[in-house]
């Protein structure tokens, strides 16, 4: 297999500073308190419920804006990410915001060992995370290892139907596999998903799709019970340029008949 970890780590390292500087992440507003929560956490606040006093871990936390938001909701948060450059930005943001957050460098599969066997009340995963992992079963095993009995997984993610679409044909058009495949898709693309003038050099990534049934089955197989699953017709970024429009909350959905596409989902599960 292509050394996906090295390629993807280099890609995220290359983009961390640009993401922290971009208005799309609203870092300045989060630091000075003008904005209390990230758009991602704000969207799911009714489903998230009260997290005050919970010990939480945010897998694939990137620059930590969602991690900070959960801490502001009262959770004692730890962030985990494979990118040291992303974690430098996350630590800086937390320090400037006056938040106590522990950040640990690790990929998802090694997270239980990197966290020395600690268990948590809440495992949180934000949007745009699972596509970087070759095996959703191994992801579910890590989640199960990190949760204490009765602990909860909370994930909002891009829908696998969205990941199967292409924006290079009139559409939406299904072009890529909906189901997990052994070999990932290798992309070589400059740029990123936020507004920035940065020019990047690490542009090769490897990504995988995972069907919704595969995700649920993996969690069930590792001792979690599904407690909630909601599908949404929107995502927090323009996933299909030229085919989507943004609403007042910063969410993007198909301009033409958005009810055709499940663009993201929110899933919750509890360790039995």
């Amino acid at each position: 297999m292509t050394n996906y970890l090295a390629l993807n780590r280099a890609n995220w390292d290359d983009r961390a500073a640009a993401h922290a500087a971009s208005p799309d992440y609203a870092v300045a507003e989060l630091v000075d308190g003008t904005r209390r929560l990230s758009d991602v956490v704000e969207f799911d606040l009714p489903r998230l419920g009260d997290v005050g006093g919970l010990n939480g871990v945010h897998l694939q936390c990137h620059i930590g804006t969602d991690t900070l938001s959960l801490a502001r909701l009262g959770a004692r948060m730890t962030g985990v990410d494979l990118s040291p450059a992303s974690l430098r930005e996350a630590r800086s943001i937390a320090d400037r915001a006056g938040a106590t957050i522990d950040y640990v460098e690790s990929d998802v599969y090694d997270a239980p060992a990197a966290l020395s066997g600690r268990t948590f009340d809440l495992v949180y995963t934000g949007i745009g995370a699972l596509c970087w992992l070759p095996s959703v079963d191994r992801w579910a095993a890590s989640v199960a290892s990190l949760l204490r009995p009765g602990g909860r997984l909370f994930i909002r993610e891009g829908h696998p139907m969205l990941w199967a679409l292409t924006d290079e044909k009139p559409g939406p058009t299904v072009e890529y596999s909906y189901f997990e495949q052994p070999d990932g898709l290798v992309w070589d693309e400059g740029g990123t998903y936020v507004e920035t003038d940065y020019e990047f050099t690490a542009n090769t990534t490897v990504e995988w799709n995972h069907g919704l049934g595969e995700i649920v089955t993996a969690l069930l197989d590792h001792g979690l019970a599904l407690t909630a699953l909601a599908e949404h017709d929107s995502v927090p970024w323009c996933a299909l340029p030229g085919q989507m429009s943004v609403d007042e909350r910063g969410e993007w959905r198909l301009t033409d008949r958005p009810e055709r596409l499940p663009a993201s989902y929110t899933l919750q599960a509890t360790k039995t």
Side-chain angles (χ1 to χ4, degrees):
M1 180 186 289
T2 304
N3 189 348
Y4 76 95
L5 278 176
L7 290 171
N8 292 345
R9 181 185 293 113
N11 179 273
W12 287 106
D13 280 346
D14 200 21
R15 284 154 177 77
H19 289 179
S22 168
D24 297 273
Y25 271 95
V27 168
E29 291 86 349
L30 287 167
V31 166
D32 68 18
T34 306
R35 178 178 295 191
R36 182 167 177 254
L37 303 177
S38 68
D39 288 340
V40 171
V41 173
E42 185 78 42
F43 178 91
D44 261 322
L45 199 55
R47 286 165 284 272
L48 187 62
D50 183 10
V51 298
L54 299 184
N55 286 313
V57 59
H58 180 183
L59 298 179
Q60 297 168 276
C61 66
H62 191 35
I63 63 171
T65 52
D66 297 341
T67 326
L68 172 63
S69 299
L70 293 167
R72 284 181 167 166
L73 291 173
R76 295 182 292 272
M77 291 303 300
T78 297
V80 176
D81 201 87
L82 86 167
S83 161
S86 295
L87 292 178
R88 283 195 294 271
E89 299 293 345
R91 293 184 181 106
S92 172
I93 291 167
D95 288 345
R96 287 181 284 148
T100 301
I101 300 172
D102 182 27
Y103 283 106
V104 175
E105 183 182 332
S106 175
D107 71 274
V108 171
Y109 299 148
D110 290 337
L115 291 165
S116 303
R118 293 167 56 195
T119 56
F120 299 86
D121 304 304
L122 174 70
V123 171
Y124 179 89
T125 298
I127 200 157
L130 294 190
C131 61
W132 304 101
L133 306 175
S135 168
V136 75
D137 184 75
R138 290 180 64 194
W139 165 78
S142 290
V143 169
S145 294
L146 292 167
L147 282 173
R148 65 163 180 80
R152 175 172 56 135
L153 166 70
F154 188 101
I155 175 171
R156 185 186 180 207
E157 181 56 279
H159 201 286
M161 194 64 243
L162 176 69
W163 300 132
L165 302 181
T166 180
D167 62 359
E168 297 179 352
K169 298 179 181 179
T173 301
V174 178
E175 181 73 14
Y176 307 110
S177 175
Y178 176 90
F179 299 104
E180 182 180 300
Q181 300 299 307
D183 297 322
L185 287 171
V186 179
W187 302 93
D188 190 358
E189 297 179 332
T192 186
Y193 52 82
V194 301
E195 180 183 341
T196 180
D197 293 327
Y198 280 63
E199 293 187 10
F200 304 109
T201 57
N203 295 322
T204 303
T205 59
V206 189
E207 301 175 34
W208 289 261
N209 203 1
H210 313 283
L212 196 56
E214 293 173 327
I215 295 165
V216 171
T217 298
L219 293 170
L220 296 176
D221 285 347
H222 288 280
L224 276 71
L226 186 70
T227 57
L229 177 59
E231 295 175 292
H232 316 292
D233 67 0
S234 67
V235 286
W237 80 101
C238 186
L240 298 169
Q243 301 180 51
M244 299 184 114
S245 299
V246 66
D247 65 17
E248 67 281 356
R249 299 180 62 184
E251 290 278 315
W252 294 80
R253 52 180 53 80
L254 287 179
T255 303
D256 177 30
R257 294 170 291 157
E259 68 276 6
R260 291 181 294 159
L261 177 65
S264 63
Y265 65 91
T266 303
L267 181 152
Q268 299 187 61
T270 301
K271 184 172 180 179
T272 57

